[in-house]
Amino acid sequence: MSDILLSVQNLHAYYGKNHVLHGVDISVNKGETIGLMGRNGMGKSTLLKSIMGLGPLRTGTISFLGSKVTDLPPHEIMRNGIAYVPEGRGIFSTLSTLENLLMSSRIGCRGRHDWTLDGVLEIFPSLVNRLSHGGGQLSGGEQQMLSIGRALMTNPDLLILDEATEGLAPRVASDIWKTIDIVRDAGVAVIVVDKNLSALSAITNKIVILVKGELVFNGLGEKLINSRDLQLKLLGI
Amino acid sequence: MLGAYLAFSLSEQFGSFWIALPVGVTIAFSFGLLMEWILISRLYSRDHLYQVLLTYGLILVLEELRSLVWGDDVQTVRVPDILDSSIMLTDTLSYPIYRIWISVVCLAVAVGMYWMIQKTRIGMIVRARSEDRDMVQALGLNVRLVDRFVFAIGVALAAFAGMLAAPVSSVFPGMGNQVLIICFVVVVIGGIGSIKGAMLSALMIGLVDSFGKVVTLEILGLRVFPELSGMVVYFLMAAVLLIRPMGLFGRTHH
């Protein structure tokens, strides 16, 4: 069996008449960690949403573990083993922390059950004292932990994290990076969007960069770190 | 309205209110599933106003169908024998057992709904869905199924209420309309989306309505103007909305 977990081929996406993604090809191997970068408005979130069927109109092919999922409704795509932590975290503020975790809980589709409530609370000990608090009362960092924990409760094979550390204090951000490390070590593939090149390249196998809806870079993080030219050209930093 | 007429037809059919009740609720539930599937589900992506217009249209259609099927006569549903008596509260005041039974059943349903929405996983998903539909989908949950069942349960509960009310209110054309408006007032005063609010405002409106009638008649002696008593409830709504536009327990949306 091949090692390819997710394969996206020739993905085009449209918001009305706006052509946002121009034939993106991307593939993620089992257990692989990929950093997705690009300036604002280059199509990162659109790419992620298109993969999950939550975004705009799209054409192209999306396969998960070899089977085509392009035309499935979003929840069925996700049930194949994808979990999503959106930009802005998507916490249900009227549900308590505990309820946020319990509502998504299920056994993974290939019988995976690594992540239980106890398991999730073990990697996020700061949530233990917050279980009865409303999701809206948590700090940004706690919300991000909760959102990752909630995603893990679905026992995914692939975790998608949009803007993993945006708006978080450096110390909290470093906690999040450590968590992604733990998740990766547990054998879950991860796609992370973030603006921190050095942190991303430290934990990912490769980095891909979108510019105006096209994939313009697909390679090792070191290559970017060592080239000011590339950084300036592709990321504007 | 549908519930009351179902109670009427089904208890004639089966000769028993007790069989009519579950059968009627099941029919209403299935009808709800069908309506959601054929009509309502197509409007979620649009403004709420479209749903209001569609459901209002449905009221008109159902009202005409009712006229075709059942005619325009006033019908009655017999109170089931076992509950067809009264207890004497004082020497001159008696209270029908059936009404007490309705109160108990309604309280039980309210507690049951509260428990389901606040304490079960299904309830968590329903609450989450009302907050962020896409996020619930992104967690691999079938929101379309959630929507369909929530709507159907709503229809079934409304029909259940109609069936319970049939023996005390008699069954007549347009009977749903009075209830509908009062229901709107209850929801608006309580705050949209709050069960606690709905409970409290329903009690409040019941009291204000009943006492409003007595008090206006006695103090002002308005025999000529009994309509005024019917307006008290709307004065209450206006007052609440002026002070708390989101209702008593409503959340403000940002």
Side-chain angles (χ1 to χ4, degrees):
Chain A
M1 207 173 148
S2 101
D3 276 340
I4 295 179
L5 185 64
L6 173 78
S7 147
V8 175
Q9 281 156 6
N10 197 23
L11 186 70
H12 291 262
Y14 307 84
Y15 280 114
K17 279 181 185 163
N18 271 353
H19 193 169
V20 196
L21 295 179
H22 303 266
V24 173
D25 293 295
I26 195 170
S27 78
V28 183
N29 289 336
K30 285 177 194 164
E32 190 178 36
T33 305
I34 289 183
L36 173 58
M37 300 190 77
R39 272 170 286 172
N40 288 336
M42 292 298 163
K44 293 172 305 218
S45 293
T46 304
L47 172 61
L48 300 180
K49 284 186 181 159
S50 296
I51 291 173
M52 299 181 290
L54 286 171
L57 270 180
R58 58 178 167 41
T59 63
T61 311
I62 297 154
S63 321
F64 199 79
L65 282 171
S67 56
K68 196 175 156 221
V69 297
T70 324
D71 300 321
L72 296 178
H75 73 270
E76 283 183 31
I77 297 180
M78 307 309 280
R79 282 214 162 236
N80 277 293
I82 307 178
Y84 175 46
V85 175
E87 185 178 2
R89 345 237 189 260
I91 291 301
F92 302 116
S93 59
T94 54
L95 271 63
S96 71
T97 301
L98 182 63
E99 287 175 331
N100 267 283
L101 291 170
L102 290 181
M103 60 91 55
S104 72
S105 156
R106 69 161 174 271
I107 289 173
C109 77
R110 273 158 296 283
R112 186 196 269 271
H113 49 80
D114 307 350
W115 303 101
T116 57
L117 183 62
D118 289 341
V120 166
L121 292 178
E122 204 172 298
I123 59 170
F124 298 119
S126 60
L127 293 180
V128 174
N129 295 324
R130 308 289 263 152
L131 286 178
S132 59
H133 289 70
Q137 295 171 299
L138 303 187
S139 70
E142 287 168 334
Q143 285 198 348
Q144 185 66 329
M145 292 175 195
L146 176 57
S147 192
I148 296 174
R150 184 179 62 183
L152 291 175
M153 290 292 281
T154 69
N155 282 296
D157 294 303
L158 170 65
L159 179 67
I160 297 178
L161 271 155
D162 199 354
E163 297 295 357
T165 64
E166 189 180 47
L168 299 182
R171 217 177 48 176
V172 183
S174 87
D175 281 348
I176 299 291
W177 292 119
K178 278 181 210 145
T179 318
I180 297 173
D181 239 4
I182 296 173
V183 172
R184 189 189 58 176
D185 290 345
V188 179
V190 187
I191 301 179
V192 205
V193 174
D194 203 85
K195 295 195 169 58
N196 186 338
L197 176 59
S198 59
L200 264 186
S201 99
I203 66 151
T204 54
N205 300 90
K206 65 178 180 189
I207 286 189
V208 294
I209 298 179
L210 278 179
V211 172
K212 292 186 178 159
E214 281 179 71
L215 208 66
V216 294
F217 180 88
N218 186 346
L220 292 175
E222 287 97 42
K223 199 169 151 196
L224 280 168
I225 290 183
N226 296 331
S227 163
R228 284 295 301 150
D229 273 1
L230 273 178
Q231 286 180 35
L232 199 65
K233 200 171 114 209
L234 304 177
L235 298 170
I237 52 177
Chain B
M1 186 269 292
L2 196 63
Y5 276 91
L6 279 173
F8 165 65
S9 278
L10 292 169
S11 42
E12 296 264 289
Q13 181 78 33
F14 295 111
S16 159
F17 186 72
W18 302 115
I19 302 176
L21 212 52
V23 174
V25 168
T26 313
I27 293 177
F29 183 78
S30 319
F31 178 69
L33 288 180
L34 200 69
M35 283 297 107
E36 203 277 346
W37 177 48
I38 299 176
L39 298 170
I40 313 278
S41 64
R42 288 161 213 282
L43 295 181
Y44 291 134
S45 51
R46 310 239 191 126
D47 193 79
H48 289 315
L49 182 61
Y50 288 88
Q51 289 178 39
V52 175
L53 289 175
L54 174 72
T55 44
Y56 188 70
L58 276 175
I59 291 175
L60 300 177
V61 171
L62 287 173
E63 194 64 43
E64 282 307 306
L65 284 175
R66 190 262 321 138
S67 175
L68 288 174
V69 176
W70 283 289
D72 291 334
D73 295 336
V74 175
Q75 314 283 1
T76 52
V77 175
R78 252 164 29 88
V79 174
D81 290 339
I82 194 169
L83 301 172
D84 195 9
S85 55
S86 300
I87 47 168
M88 301 301 289
L89 293 176
T90 64
D91 288 344
T92 49
L93 183 67
S94 70
Y95 200 79
I97 298 268
Y98 185 76
R99 284 184 182 259
I100 297 175
W101 180 77
I102 292 187
S103 310
V104 172
V105 171
C106 288
L107 268 178
V109 170
V111 170
M113 286 305 291
Y114 182 83
W115 175 79
M116 190 169 113
I117 291 178
Q118 296 299 330
K119 303 289 175 201
T120 66
R121 182 154 181 258
I122 295 173
M124 294 172 201
I125 295 170
V126 169
R127 277 180 287 146
R129 184 259 171 258
S130 74
E131 207 177 315
D132 188 341
R133 195 170 190 268
D134 276 357
M135 193 60 228
V136 173
Q137 280 188 297
L139 291 166
L141 297 160
N142 189 345
V143 279
R144 282 186 235 172
L145 205 66
V146 174
D147 292 340
R148 190 152 305 157
F149 272 81
V150 167
F151 184 80
I153 290 172
V155 173
L157 281 175
F160 183 65
M163 295 180 82
L164 290 187
V168 286
S169 79
S170 77
V171 181
F172 54 96
M175 66 179 294
N177 300 351
Q178 305 171 321
V179 184
L180 179 71
I181 296 169
I182 289 294
C183 284
F184 267 125
V185 176
V186 166
V187 172
V188 168
I189 290 184
I192 290 169
S194 165
I195 299 174
K196 226 189 312 176
M199 280 288 286
L200 195 77
S201 87
L203 276 175
M204 215 160 84
I205 286 171
L207 292 174
V208 165
D209 192 34
S210 301
F211 281 101
K213 278 173 186 155
V214 175
V215 171
T216 43
L217 277 175
E218 280 193 354
I219 291 179
L220 304 171
L222 282 171
R223 266 168 214 288
V224 237
F225 230 18
E227 292 87 354
L228 190 66
S229 63
M231 292 153 81
V232 178
V233 166
Y234 304 103
F235 289 138
L236 179 70
M237 178 171 81
V240 168
L241 286 183
L242 280 175
I243 300 163
R244 280 187 69 85
M246 73 299 280
L248 292 178
F249 287 91
R251 276 174 275 134
T252 34
H253 288 277
H254 304 289

